[in-house]
Amino acid sequence: MSVKFSRYLPVLDWGRRYDREALSNDMIAAVIVTIMLIPQSLAYALLAGLPPEAGIYASIVPILLYAVFGTSRALAVGPVAVVSLMTAAAIGNIAETGTMGYALAALTLAFLSGAMLLVMGVFKLGFLANFLSHPVIAGFITASGILIAASQVKHILGVRSEGHTLIEVVETLIAHLGETNAITLVIGVSATAFLFWVRKGLKPRLRALGLGPKMADVLTKAGPVAAVFVTTLATWALGLSERGVSVVGEVPQSLPPLTMPSFSPDLLSQLFVPALLISVIGFVESISVAQTLAAKKRQRIDPDQELIGLGAANIGAAFTGGYPVTGGFARSVVNFDAGAETPAAGAFTAVGLAIAAVALTPLVFFLPKATLAATIIVAVLSLVDFSILKKTWTYSKADFFAVAATILLTLGFGVETGVSAGVILSVGLHLYKTSKPHVAEVGLVPGTQHFRNINRHKVETHEALLTLRVDESLYFVNARYLEDLIQDRLASGQKIRNVVLMCSAVNEIDYSALESLEAINTRLKDLGIGLHLSEVKGPVTDKLGKTHFLDQLNGRVFQSQYDAWRSLTGAPRPLPASESAA
Amino acid sequence: MSVKFSRYLPVLDWGRRYDREALSNDMIAAVIVTIMLIPQSLAYALLAGLPPEAGIYASIVPILLYAVFGTSRALAVGPVAVVSLMTAAAIGNIAETGTMGYALAALTLAFLSGAMLLVMGVFKLGFLANFLSHPVIAGFITASGILIAASQVKHILGVRSEGHTLIEVVETLIAHLGETNAITLVIGVSATAFLFWVRKGLKPRLRALGLGPKMADVLTKAGPVAAVFVTTLATWALGLSERGVSVVGEVPQSLPPLTMPSFSPDLLSQLFVPALLISVIGFVESISVAQTLAAKKRQRIDPDQELIGLGAANIGAAFTGGYPVTGGFARSVVNFDAGAETPAAGAFTAVGLAIAAVALTPLVFFLPKATLAATIIVAVLSLVDFSILKKTWTYSKADFFAVAATILLTLGFGVETGVSAGVILSVGLHLYKTSKPHVAEVGLVPGTQHFRNINRHKVETHEALLTLRVDESLYFVNARYLEDLIQDRLASGQKIRNVVLMCSAVNEIDYSALESLEAINTRLKDLGIGLHLSEVKGPVTDKLGKTHFLDQLNGRVFQSQYDAWRSLTGAPRPLPASESAA
């Protein structure tokens, strides 16, 4: 019983060994992460089209629940840029920003996504996330970064703009360009410039001043806090909010409220696909961060348990005024670098944010939205990386095609179309590649027992014997290809009396391929030609053994290709016997 | 130029060598096929919800066009049962049976399907048909056979019934059961019983009477003609059509008319998916028949040219009052068995049917629809074959699951849902299987240079060396699996200093897998563990050579696993050097 119970509660494992040293390390990490998260949470809520406090609420209970159910020691769960954008895209078509319906839809999206993650975790469906290929993810993140940055330009200019595709955003921006507010523009541009400088120029300078690398890192991460502090002070002191500068305004001073998602079947069905995409994208982002950090300390991440941890976090967000969350890259790296040892660091961060929610919210009344937009722009532009296009172009045109299409479709048709098309393309291209497998006609390398491609090597062949090495598992997508190939080859080789299929790289033969082999066998039998197999793998032999195929085979199954050659050409044996075992 | 031209016109190849003997063989085959096709064409038009003459028209021009563009010598193109059912399902939601809109939609469907087939042929996309696995096709055909038979019961009873799923059909049948026409029932049941007897009992009896097997076959195939003749005569002589027996009625006495499909974007977009499914199913059915027959004479079928042939046939159908057609199994086998040598046999059949359309149509006025329904029921029930369930259950549970789902979904939700679900399931299950590849930890078989699974064989291992043989191509769906696996294995094997990946069965490494290998390499490097590859295939090595991966590899690439073992364990070399080349 207890073994099973603890499978779902990793906290029981690390909690038992928790000591004073781990406590102090976790506390320090928590303070640093809390300071970084306050502006970030407000900014991402803005990006998702939600009131700023939703970002803070989404960082409190979810972090606590992940600390109980998650397996990563350093992952920090909360609102992240891409998921915030996807939330805005999903809800934007359903309700108006700022309405109750919008916030309710966000809670429902978090609930649905949490439920999906939990179900995937319990049924161990974590492998589903693998259907997103790395290049597709890279392309999607790059395109999302551009979309997010573009969507924030309106706050820098102080104008209105909307849309879920790059074209829509740019069009509405241009239409409203005349309404630009000069003071907002000054704040926005200086904050952006400052934050870029902090990111690129400050760290080397701090190191030059003799600070340790860790301290320099922490100060660099505090850049947004400084920007928030200075611009808020200026806006308050100079009364800029009365001169057209949009500010965050009143944020309720409270702990996360108890909220209920909607269970309306209509809303649930409208949000089903977006929730699935958010779950998968969120899980993929989170698990890569968690694995990268765990590997550095030779720790283990259990993907299926991660699904449960993230599922619990999202359901927590749904009931406490939040919106969809996942493990964020930036916050997790800060947490790890600051020395977090266990998920307790996350729990302490939650406490810190709860204090902020109660005590500090009045202080952000005069915080300009332009400053928050600047922090988002600087954060997401670091995600934009077109080098994946060049890398995949060199390595594999199919991968290049998938990533280019994902980028273009995400920018042109929005995140949901982009990521769906990416998945479909990756799968389609993979199937296409395996649909025309590499099949080599092989011959004997003289003086050895090895068989190589007749087109690449000087090998011995025999006009009555055709040997084909199939370099792919045989399954329905390529089953007919082999039929065609053999038929073509026989049409041009009228003297062939025996065909050998060398199966050393055939990892599976599915039922369609079995039927194709039966068809090939029957056709060859009708023509008086033998069909033989060689070097068939154990699991494949086991499976074929369950059928009548081997009994009906108009030929033999040889352990090694050399055995087949000797037997079918009557050639003498040049090398000792010990070598021929498959 | 002429080479390129003749690529699209196989007629130029066989036409040049046509002689008197081929002519007489083709003529005989044409007469036999024509007699068989007259009732069949009328019956399938009825099944498609179209006026009877549409079936005849769909058999004339399409056959001629296929004779020019197709590559099969024996394929007979025209209306077939499954495509007729799919046509009814596709159009049933758009227009009422019997209206002009319905006939127009059928023409449009044929045009769209023909255009798709042509495009697929020109761009050599024939491999798309391979996405339908054999078990899914078998399940689909079986379920369609049941649906078709059920849909014809109404004609046997003389009542109304409709619907595209088994439940709908049975429900409406039961609702109208009280309206059963006794005389229609007698005709329908006797015709069905007679045709079953012809199929099962007549042939052995004819053989016993001393007839040759071919003659017995031909007489058996003429059974439907006899049924048509007798029931038509009875209906006319006894005036049964005035007593409630539905008859075919007036069929226009004319050659195929010139018709135009609709180019309304609305209709085209509504018919797009059904046309795609009809094209793929039709192509798959046709190509299997063509290949089976061609193989018997060692002839070649070019799948891409077949697409062009079928595309031309369907476009022909669209402009001459027909509906979607494909190469039919029954008619092609009869054509082949009757001695057809070239597609000219098809052209003669077309002439035969044209004569029938002009001269014989008045004779079918009193033909009862119940008789046509009987011919359909007897024909399609021979397609129903549940043995695929048992065979796949024994061989592969994944295939079983796909076929069972296809059958249930086709019966429960109609042909379009059934076949789409079958494709998605087949692809999904294949990806699932490859997502958790077979990875064996291997050790050296003592006294040899062979490496086998440590769990299956007594082998030598070394505690500082971990060797994994991956039995699958590495691509995005399983890339992360290997990462997880190595991480798990290292967590339990603290003494491991070197990891070797044995790549003898790795046929491809895509960009995602390359990134995973890079991640594994980096993680192992951080831990001071070497990562090595062995027995990498030529094409894979070429691809890796284009990247920096091999330079950054914290280890070496060994030609053979034995080289890796010797080098990494410092073991002496027990066998002669000649053997170690990969």
Side-chain angles (χ1 to χ4, degrees), chain A residues 291 300 395 484 488 509 511, chain B residues 291 300 395 484 488 509:
Chain A
Q291 279 177 328
R300 257 196 97 258
Y395 186 71
D484 292 351
D488 280 6
I509 293 180
Y511 191 78
Chain B
Q291 279 177 329
R300 256 195 99 258
Y395 187 71
D484 292 351
D488 281 5
I509 293 181

Side-chain angles (χ1 to χ4, degrees), chain A residues 124 127 129-135 137 284 287-288 291-292 294-301 303-304 388 391-392 394-397 399 423 426-428 430-436 438 448 450 452 456 469-473 475-481 483-484 487-488 490-491 493-497 504-516 523 526-527 529 537-540 542-544 546-547 575 578-582, chain B residues 124 127 129-135 137 284 287-288 291-292 294-301 303 387-388 391-392 394-397 399 423 426-428 430-436 438 448 450 452 456 469-473 475-481 483-484 487-488 490-491 493-497 504-516 523 526-527 529 537-540 542-544 546-547 575 578-582:
Chain A
K124 300 179 173 280
F127 72 91
N130 299 339
F131 281 37
L132 280 166
S133 75
H134 294 201
I137 296 168
V284 168
I287 195 100
S288 353
Q291 279 177 328
T292 306
K296 296 195 181 179
K297 294 194 171 174
R298 227 170 173 163
Q299 289 161 349
R300 257 196 97 258
I301 298 294
D304 290 316
I388 187 72
K391 288 185 206 156
T392 48
T394 322
Y395 186 71
S396 149
K397 297 294 176 290
D399 280 319
V423 171
S426 306
V427 170
H430 169 70
L431 295 178
Y432 176 69
K433 278 189 275 183
T434 57
S435 76
K436 296 187 176 176
H438 183 241
T448 73
H450 297 291
R452 301 302 281 262
R456 291 193 178 203
R469 191 192 67 215
V470 186
D471 284 353
E472 191 69 64
S473 288
Y475 74 114
F476 63 97
V477 167
N478 60 29
R480 216 182 303 271
Y481 180 79
E483 284 186 55
D484 292 351
Q487 203 143 337
D488 280 6
L490 289 184
Q494 299 287 345
K495 290 190 177 161
I496 294 167
R497 285 290 152 261
S504 46
V506 175
N507 300 312
E508 208 223 328
I509 293 180
D510 82 347
Y511 191 78
S512 301
L514 173 70
E515 289 200 334
S516 274
R523 287 177 198 169
D526 287 352
L527 297 169
I529 297 177
K537 299 196 168 190
V540 176
D542 292 351
K543 235 171 148 187
L544 290 180
K546 287 193 241 167
T547 70
L575 282 177
S578 69
E579 210 186 325
S580 70
Chain B
K124 299 180 174 282
F127 72 92
N130 299 338
F131 281 38
L132 279 167
S133 73
H134 294 201
I137 297 169
V284 168
I287 194 98
S288 352
Q291 279 177 329
T292 306
K296 297 196 180 177
K297 294 193 172 175
R298 224 169 174 163
Q299 288 162 348
R300 256 195 99 258
I301 297 295
S387 73
I388 186 72
K391 288 184 204 157
T392 49
T394 321
Y395 187 71
S396 151
K397 297 293 177 287
D399 280 318
V423 172
S426 306
V427 170
H430 169 71
L431 294 177
Y432 176 69
K433 277 188 274 182
T434 58
S435 77
K436 297 188 175 173
H438 182 241
T448 72
H450 296 293
R452 301 301 284 262
R456 290 196 178 202
R469 191 193 68 215
V470 186
D471 283 354
E472 191 70 63
S473 288
Y475 75 113
F476 64 97
V477 167
N478 60 29
R480 217 182 302 272
Y481 180 78
E483 284 187 55
D484 292 351
Q487 203 142 336
D488 281 5
L490 289 184
Q494 299 287 345
K495 289 189 179 162
I496 294 168
R497 285 290 151 263
S504 45
V506 175
N507 300 312
E508 209 222 329
I509 293 181
D510 81 348
Y511 191 79
S512 301
L514 174 69
E515 290 201 333
S516 274
R523 288 178 197 167
D526 288 352
L527 298 170
I529 297 177
K537 299 199 169 188
V540 176
D542 292 351
K543 234 172 150 188
L544 290 179
K546 286 193 241 167
T547 72
L575 284 179
S578 69
E579 209 185 326
S580 72

Side-chain angles (χ1 to χ4, degrees), chain A residues 367-439:
Chain A
L367 168 56
K369 287 187 175 173
T371 308
L372 292 180
T375 66
I376 294 180
I377 289 174
V378 175
V380 297
L381 283 185
S382 70
L383 302 176
V384 174
D385 177 9
F386 285 105
S387 73
I388 187 72
L389 284 173
K390 204 188 143 214
K391 288 185 206 156
T392 48
W393 177 260
T394 322
Y395 186 71
S396 149
K397 297 294 176 290
D399 280 319
F400 170 81
F401 187 65
V403 66
T406 305
I407 292 178
L408 290 176
L409 290 170
T410 304
L411 292 178
F413 297 93
V415 281
E416 290 174 10
T417 310
V419 73
S420 312
V423 171
I424 293 170
L425 265 174
S426 306
V427 170
L429 287 169
H430 169 70
L431 295 178
Y432 176 69
K433 278 189 275 183
T434 57
S435 76
K436 296 187 176 176
H438 183 241
V439 178

